[in-house]
Amino acid sequence: MKKKIIFSGIQPTGLLTIGNYIGALSQWEKLQKKYFCIYCIADLHALTIYQKKNILNNNILDVLSICLASGIDPKKSIIFIQSHVSQHTQLNWILNCFANFGVIKRMTQFKEKIYLNQNINVGLFSYPILMAADILLYQTYKVPVGKDQVQHIELVKDIARRFNNIYKKKIFTIPKKKLHENYGSCIMSLLSPFKKMSKSDNNKNNIITLFDNDFTIRKKIKHAITDSDNPPNIKFDLKNKPGISNLLIILSNITQISIKELEYNFQNKNYYDLKEFVINNLCLFLNKLRKKFFFYRKNEILLRKIMLNGAQKAEKYAKITLKKVYNIIGLNM
Ligand code: TRP
């Protein structure tokens, strides 16, 4: 049987955190077993914020290397750079004309961004329509995303349905969202565990980046907020024990030991023991990941080959959908 299609994207902006790894990359890696996966480095989306040329250039290669280091296999899956497949921007324009202004204006992420941003450009507004083009070009069955992207996926479904209805033909597959497993989208800030861990956080003690060294990891985890339960109680409880739960989620995702089993192992232990275990495992894990990262990152010739090959494979699929769209609209392609 033909495998169903998974599509997802990641923006090449800044230092990735352990949250990005657990929330996206580790999940992407696992999905390769069951699905045909298409992963895109969304460099065009990154342009909604002003980017310096060299930094953007490096970030794209960094993120590609991290994807490969995380086990995304270009032989099994397609990994490519969004701007290298021109069908994305072509379909984007067409979908602009099928997306409702009022609906897009109400996207919560857009409202947050215009509130925070000085550079309020139209790209920021039409961002989810480019996402729609990304997803719909590949007749995607499921899109793995974090909670923050759920509203965008609902919009993509709306656009696809509207298009299919107008032309009375199933041109686009209606995609489904796939939320991350094992609390993957719930990696919280270390010092304020009710707030999501975010690579743009000004206080770097809130985040563990994939490039923090052993010393920094130790310092940050030592400072991470727990609670003052007496006696100490290592239990998973997102509402009442967010700090401890956050450490358990991180630990479970990097060791593949279930949260239940971790709770069992840490019965009658104290927070010092838990933190030491987190520190040791994080250091081990990140050192391994970084080794693989540098293997790819130092080999730009290999990276360029992988990018070119990925774009060529993606284009083959993207062309088929775009042709159908052009034809049914009457663009005579
Ligand atoms: N907007 C997504 C993010 O910031 C990245 C992205 C771009 C994406 N295109 C996509 C995610 C298509 C899923 C599907 O996280």
Side-chain angles (χ1 to χ4, degrees):
M1 204 183 76
K2 239 175 96 181
K3 283 183 175 172
K4 292 191 165 148
I5 294 174
I6 287 274
F7 183 96
S8 197
I10 186 166
Q11 287 194 56
T13 41
L15 277 181
L16 294 184
T17 69
I18 187 80
N20 300 120
Y21 173 81
I22 293 172
L25 302 176
S26 76
Q27 318 261 343
W28 288 11
E29 190 268 325
K30 290 194 193 99
L31 289 166
Q32 295 178 115
K33 278 201 198 91
K34 196 165 153 204
Y35 299 97
F36 179 49
C37 298
I38 307 180
Y39 297 129
C40 150
I41 296 177
D43 54 348
L44 297 173
H45 276 108
L47 298 182
T48 52
I49 294 168
Y50 172 71
Q51 302 281 340
K52 290 208 172 90
K53 175 184 164 185
N54 288 339
I55 296 183
L56 179 60
N57 223 299
N58 280 322
N59 281 344
I60 293 170
L61 297 179
D62 283 356
V63 172
L64 176 61
S65 306
I66 288 277
C67 289
L68 297 167
S70 306
I72 290 159
D73 180 353
K75 290 204 189 80
K76 279 192 221 151
S77 310
I78 299 180
I79 176 147
F80 72 102
I81 316 295
Q82 188 183 33
S83 66
H84 295 185
V85 180
S86 57
Q87 285 77 8
H88 288 247
T89 42
Q90 288 174 285
L91 183 61
N92 181 200
W93 173 257
I94 290 171
L95 297 181
N96 275 337
C97 305
F98 289 83
N100 181 287
F101 183 79
V103 173
I104 309 264
K105 216 170 59 181
R106 286 195 290 277
M107 292 283 119
T108 46
Q109 208 177 62
F110 170 65
K111 290 195 281 188
E112 279 164 24
K113 280 182 186 165
I114 55 174
Y115 178 70
L116 293 173
N117 234 299
Q118 302 195 331
N119 166 18
I120 304 174
N121 58 72
V122 179
L124 225 40
F125 177 74
S126 60
Y127 179 109
I129 310 174
L130 179 57
M131 263 180 83
D134 295 344
I135 295 165
L136 298 179
L137 271 176
Y138 300 96
Q139 306 296 344
T140 301
Y141 168 65
K142 271 189 183 169
V143 187
V145 280
K147 285 189 195 133
D148 59 326
Q149 298 295 325
V150 167
Q151 201 185 25
H152 291 160
I153 303 300
E154 292 307 321
L155 176 84
V156 175
K157 285 161 110 171
D158 259 19
I159 295 177
R161 279 199 205 101
R162 173 164 324 146
F163 192 96
N164 287 350
N165 282 339
I166 290 176
Y167 293 102
K168 299 192 174 43
K169 198 163 177 198
K170 203 174 153 258
I171 300 290
F172 296 126
T173 304
I174 312 296
K176 295 182 173 61
K177 64 173 182 285
K178 184 173 196 329
L179 284 172
H180 301 323
E181 279 161 23
N182 204 12
Y183 301 96
S185 22
C186 301
I187 310 297
M188 299 293 161
S189 300
L190 297 176
L191 299 176
S192 27
F194 280 115
K195 192 176 88 179
K196 211 176 147 177
M197 187 183 283
S198 156
K199 57 189 171 190
S200 50
D201 200 315
N202 287 328
N203 185 349
K204 296 302 171 217
N205 288 324
N206 263 326
I207 68 178
I208 302 268
T209 78
L210 299 184
F211 294 94
D212 283 344
N213 61 27
D214 291 5
F215 175 80
T216 313
I217 293 170
R218 171 162 288 278
K219 196 182 75 191
K220 288 180 176 176
I221 296 293
K222 282 282 180 198
H223 284 126
I225 296 286
T226 53
D227 53 51
S228 45
D229 284 1
N230 195 5
N233 181 11
I234 300 177
K235 265 218 124 10
F236 185 72
D237 178 347
L238 283 174
K239 203 158 144 234
N240 300 309
K241 299 175 70 68
I244 292 295
S245 303
N246 196 30
L247 293 178
L248 287 172
I249 294 173
I250 295 175
L251 203 48
S252 172
N253 275 285
I254 59 171
T255 59
Q256 309 303 324
I257 304 173
S258 73
I259 292 180
K260 276 259 153 319
E261 205 176 332
L262 287 169
E263 281 179 331
Y264 180 80
N265 295 345
F266 280 97
Q267 269 173 346
N268 306 322
K269 299 245 170 79
N270 57 37
Y271 296 166
Y272 171 88
D273 300 322
L274 176 68
K275 283 190 169 181
E276 282 299 312
F277 196 65
V278 173
I279 292 166
N280 290 336
N281 278 287
L282 259 181
C283 291
L284 209 72
F285 175 80
L286 288 180
N287 279 316
K288 254 204 221 150
L289 187 68
R290 262 194 302 266
K291 235 191 221 147
K292 292 189 207 154
F293 166 82
F294 283 115
F295 167 80
Y296 289 106
R297 188 61 184 88
K298 284 186 180 148
N299 194 342
E300 273 199 31
I301 296 176
L302 177 64
L303 291 180
R304 305 246 165 241
K305 247 193 214 155
I306 291 173
M307 283 196 284
L308 181 68
N309 191 257
Q312 282 169 345
K313 283 201 272 184
E315 191 175 47
K316 266 211 315 235
Y317 291 87
K319 265 187 170 160
I320 297 173
T321 301
L322 192 69
K323 189 165 168 36
K324 281 190 200 160
V325 170
Y326 271 34
N327 278 335
I328 200 131
I329 292 181
L331 294 176
N332 285 328
M333 193 173 165

